[in-house]
Amino acid sequence: MTNKKTKLMKPYSLFLEQYMKRLGPIDEVEGYKVRPGFFDEFGATVIPGGVSFTVHSQHATSFKLALYKRRAEEPFVVLPFPDSYRVGNVYSMIVFGLDIEEIEYAYFVDGPYNPKKGHIFDDSNVLLDPYAKAVSGQSEWGEKPDYGMSYRARVVASDFDWKKSRAPLIPMEDLIIYELHVRGFTKDVSSGVEHPGTFSGLAEKIPYLKSLGVNAVELMPIFEFDEMSGMRHHDGQKLYDYWGYNPLSFFAPNTAYASNHEYNHEGTELKKLVKKMHDNGIEVILDVVFNHTTEGNEQGPSINLKGFDNSVYYMLTPDGHYFNFSGCGNTLNCNHPIVRRMIIDCLRHWVIEYRVDGFRFDLASILGRNEDGSPMNNPPLLQNLAFDPILANVKLIAEAWDAGGLYQVGSFPDWNRWSEWNGKYRDDVRAFLKGDAGLAHTVCDRIAGSVDIYSPRRRENSPSVNFITCHDGFTLNDLYSYNEKHNEANGWNNTDGDNHNMSWNCGIEGETDNKAVLELRHQMVRNAFTLLLMSRGTPMISQGDEFLRTQKGNNNAYCQDNDISWVDWTFLEANKEMMAFVKHLIKIRKKHPILRSQTKPSRSGYPHYSKHGVNPWYLSDLEAERVIGVMFSGRDDTGRFDDYSYIAFNSHWEDHRVELPVLPKGYHWQKHIDTAKQTKKAVVMEEHLTVLDATHLNVKARSVCVLFAHYHPEVDSE
């Protein structure tokens, strides 16, 4: 076998050698052999014997490539791009004789300076390659490099062997997404991992994720960001850009999340993580930020895009100021053809090089704005992403709003490809859970996949990503422990964060030893999890909610790199019954297709979805109605038997008697979940299931019951 391989490799090696001879140097610049490079390969591309450096700008007049020794303050050589190395607006140069393990690089870019027209070129700025695959000096979390403040790139060798690893390709409606922060998930000593706060540390927790039953992780931003950007002190604590929603480089992984330095192989540890996730049947979705960058407004630094072509990459007012639809100082000009290509190139890079399975787009409504900031009917970027062949199998999930007031939940341009974080699900279900009136019919629709805003006839995919909590806001435990946010630790006098939380402290604000209050809080959490996992659409769980993680009332922990944000794994042992309850709900969801999507019609002719109240087949329109029933019907996973589920939810503070829908002959209701019971008893185990001996159900105050119909013809004959 070895001899055959050698024989097969020889012709290719000879071809490559001859090819490189033909691509040998033809010029010399500052003592380095060079030739024109690969004009359609933006960034730095390794070739035998050299590196091709390719950049572009619509308005720049010259480029210089600065090469540095690793960790050096000043470049050891600056190479101007010869005029003949330009095609259109693209400059490309192969530099021979470079040792990629020893160099870092940046650019000096010159052009017009006219801020009112958006041109702010300054060839004294050290600029990071917008297509950089790795950023130097960012590997140590919480530390600035000792060789200066400028950001530089490293050349990355792409040689990871994926072997036969394949993506799970799980249908959207079958996903159970688990949102987590790579650092915070394992940074606390209680995580017990060997490499806390890293990609490797997360990989060590895959057995836990599998045991819980989730089959997709959504990673909060892992694009390179500078946690030290805007670092400040408050009350003895260092406050960082912990969440990472200020991207520094779109193509580079956050090297501080690697457990070891990966010089010129940055991303290898992340690739190993993705491969291991796939090998365990778990998909990887990245939370990506294309609405703004860390460069900020007029007072912000010039890091890359400002210096390469400010008027192209950012939305600017007629007098050259920055539109701020992101709330972060600037707004990326996403539908400019140049920016659109960069975003598509970026996503393709993450799919090809890292094999990720999907993307959740932060403030995605910005991706549908025109260059003047106005919303577009058919945004070309969103359409391009929907039909791009490389992205054909990846999930596209929009946070369908932005900070400029554009709210598109239910109306986001989709081409039957895009799904949405369903903010209406979160808000309506939260309000009804705590007992607000006037939401009965709306919440039924939310449980049914928000059929009022996502037409099942038009939308073939699963457009609604349902969630009650996420990184932004209260944890699920805190949602029922606090009436008000408590963000004092952020240093803004509790003025930051959302004031409209739809939370309820169950009678006492914050931590308490009151047993009655604690049990009520746990019941409210059980209610929330039950509705979430019994709802059609794609459920998303926030890290640690399944074992009652707390942030001590902080609903905006973006800067808290400490025990406020880190997952405390001691809560898992203390609240293992809640984790077991969630685990069982996930098993139920996986067992019953009718909970995930509309299946083949039942033989009985019952509708696939129906609303009920205290009486079957009728839900009143009264404002005070707080008792709802949602019934799903269809076929089971074999297609031979009918499957019926009934979710009874009483958000009232009094008990209610609910009459149940009569089932077809041979089918009988069995109660699987009753959240009014203590957590370890809220689940009726399979061996203890019995046929209900009555046509009604007593639903306790503030509780949820879940019933399934089982085929027992012998009961009818008794």
Side-chain angles (χ1 to χ4, degrees), residues 603-620:
R603 291 180 174 83
S604 66
Y606 283 10
H608 76 93
Y609 154 57
S610 53
K611 301 176 185 179
H612 308 262
V614 291
N615 295 308
W617 305 106
Y618 174 73
L619 179 61
S620 79

Side-chain angles (χ1 to χ4, degrees), residues 587-633:
K587 285 182 179 178
I588 290 176
R589 181 178 183 84
K590 290 181 176 179
K591 184 177 180 180
H592 294 274
I594 58 169
L595 296 175
R596 306 194 296 275
S597 62
Q598 184 175 338
T599 63
K600 290 182 179 179
S602 63
R603 291 180 174 83
S604 66
Y606 283 10
H608 76 93
Y609 154 57
S610 53
K611 301 176 185 179
H612 308 262
V614 291
N615 295 308
W617 305 106
Y618 174 73
L619 179 61
S620 79
D621 294 322
L622 293 175
E623 182 83 4
E625 182 61 75
R626 289 183 173 86
V627 180
I628 61 173
V630 173
M631 182 175 171
F632 296 136
S633 70

Side-chain angles (χ1 to χ4, degrees), residues 197-244:
T198 65
F199 295 127
S200 291
L202 174 55
E204 293 178 63
K205 286 295 185 181
I206 289 176
Y208 170 78
L209 296 171
K210 283 191 70 176
S211 72
L212 181 59
V214 299
N215 54 18
V217 292
E218 184 174 302
L219 306 183
M220 290 173 64
I222 61 156
F223 290 2
E224 189 66 85
F225 64 92
D226 187 351
E227 71 281 355
M228 296 294 286
S229 177
M231 192 277 290
R232 54 200 168 88
H233 292 81
H234 174 71
D235 202 21
Q237 286 274 12
K238 283 184 179 180
L239 302 181
Y240 300 94
D241 179 14
Y242 168 73
W243 278 354

